[in-house]
Amino acid sequence: AQSVTQLDSHVSVSEGTPVLLRCNYSSSYSPSLFWYVQHPNKGLQLLLKYTSAATLVKGINGFEAEFKKSETSFHLTKPSAHMSDAAEYFCVVSDQKTGFQKLVFGTGTRLLVSP
Amino acid sequence: EAQVTQNPRYLITVTGKKLTVTCSQNMNHEYMSWYRQDPGLGLRQIYYSMNVEVTDKGDVPEGYKVSRKEKRNFPLILESPSPNQTSLYFCASSPGQNIYGYTFGSGTRLTVV
């Protein structure tokens, strides 16, 4: 069965410093991986997705993630944090075995950005 | 504007009083799904639908019903709500191919007292 582990429940950074949100996945088949962001009292917005094309994926708002099969990781990074990046981030996996209608969510990482 | 619309945004109800949360999408998507979000648990799938009249259980279907009579609508029905169904609910839709991901609604915060 597929699963996702977000290694940090909270990450705190200062504005202008790099962001790293860690995600490890487990999947018996070729996975598709996503990062979603949820701002307070808002729905979920797709940041970026990996679907077996380039392993380095660029998303919106300067975020990117690298798919590393050998490490079963899909960490989210951003070179310089902005105050508006403060939100909760979810790593998500689906695979061909379970079907594309099935998304498995991590438990989320709350990103705190201080001035 | 392409979107998934849920109603209501907030709802407080009493135990046992049937309720329906509506979900509508205007993107002609085939796949629709319901999730609940609880602190520390992320989002868990309740039910999903791959097309009209095709629905199936997700990970936590107990206490919920759905229907898909037309492509754009996918209501979530709680026949006899209980306090453990107090949660934040999201509806989502997708064209059906994995490369697109899902579009989520803004959420419905349900409190059952």
Side-chain angles (χ1 to χ4, degrees):
Chain A
Q2 56 191 347
S3 65
V4 173
T5 302
Q6 292 185 242
L7 298 163
D8 307 290
S9 59
H10 293 81
V11 170
S12 295
V13 301
S14 299
E15 191 173 22
T17 64
V19 175
L20 170 64
L21 305 183
R22 299 182 294 166
C23 172
N24 287 113
Y25 70 91
S26 173
S27 175
S28 301
Y29 298 84
S30 298
S32 291
L33 293 154
F34 307 84
W35 276 98
Y36 281 86
V37 60
Q38 183 181 29
H39 287 94
N41 299 315
K42 299 285 187 184
L44 285 88
Q45 180 183 18
L46 180 65
L47 270 181
L48 50 80
K49 56 182 183 280
Y50 165 79
T51 55
S52 76
T55 57
L56 182 61
V57 181
K58 294 188 184 299
I60 61 172
N61 300 334
F63 284 94
E64 63 181 39
E66 186 171 9
F67 173 71
K68 292 187 177 181
K69 187 176 180 178
S70 60
E71 300 176 11
T72 61
S73 69
F74 190 58
H75 301 335
L76 182 70
T77 60
K78 183 174 181 178
S80 177
H82 192 273
M83 294 296 290
S84 61
D85 294 328
E88 186 147 26
Y89 292 79
F90 292 95
C91 183
V92 182
V93 66
S94 69
D95 65 30
Q96 295 171 330
K97 170 65 174 179
T98 311
F100 302 141
Q101 71 279 7
K102 175 75 171 179
L103 301 180
V104 176
F105 283 76
T107 53
T109 298
R110 186 166 297 278
L111 177 64
L112 306 168
V113 183
S114 56
Chain B
E1 180 188 356
Q3 59 185 359
V4 176
T5 303
Q6 294 178 231
N7 280 297
R9 289 293 307 277
Y10 300 91
L11 178 60
I12 301 174
T13 190
V14 296
T15 299
K17 184 177 181 181
K18 181 179 178 179
L19 67 91
T20 299
V21 183
T22 64
C23 174
S24 180
Q25 51 95 2
N26 62 0
M27 296 167 281
N28 201 37
H29 285 172
E30 290 186 357
Y31 286 11
M32 297 187 75
S33 188
W34 276 102
Y35 293 84
R36 61 178 288 174
Q37 182 181 17
D38 301 291
L41 297 177
L43 277 79
R44 295 176 293 168
Q45 191 178 47
I46 303 171
Y47 269 95
Y48 63 91
S49 170
M50 295 173 67
N51 214 324
V52 175
E53 303 291 3
V54 180
T55 62
D56 206 349
K57 296 177 180 178
D59 296 318
V60 289
E62 294 77 20
Y64 305 94
K65 285 176 56 177
V66 293
S67 68
R68 188 94 181 271
K69 291 184 169 56
E70 47 190 344
K71 200 171 189 178
R72 63 183 291 124
N73 295 324
F74 190 45
L76 179 70
I77 303 158
L78 285 72
E79 297 256 347
S80 183
S82 62
N84 65 12
Q85 292 178 297
T86 293
S87 188
L88 179 59
Y89 292 86
F90 288 100
C91 181
S93 73
S94 168
Q97 297 298 317
N98 209 31
I99 59 173
Y100 298 109
Y102 273 76
T103 301
F104 283 80
S106 298
T108 296
R109 186 167 293 281
L110 172 65
T111 302
V112 183
V113 299

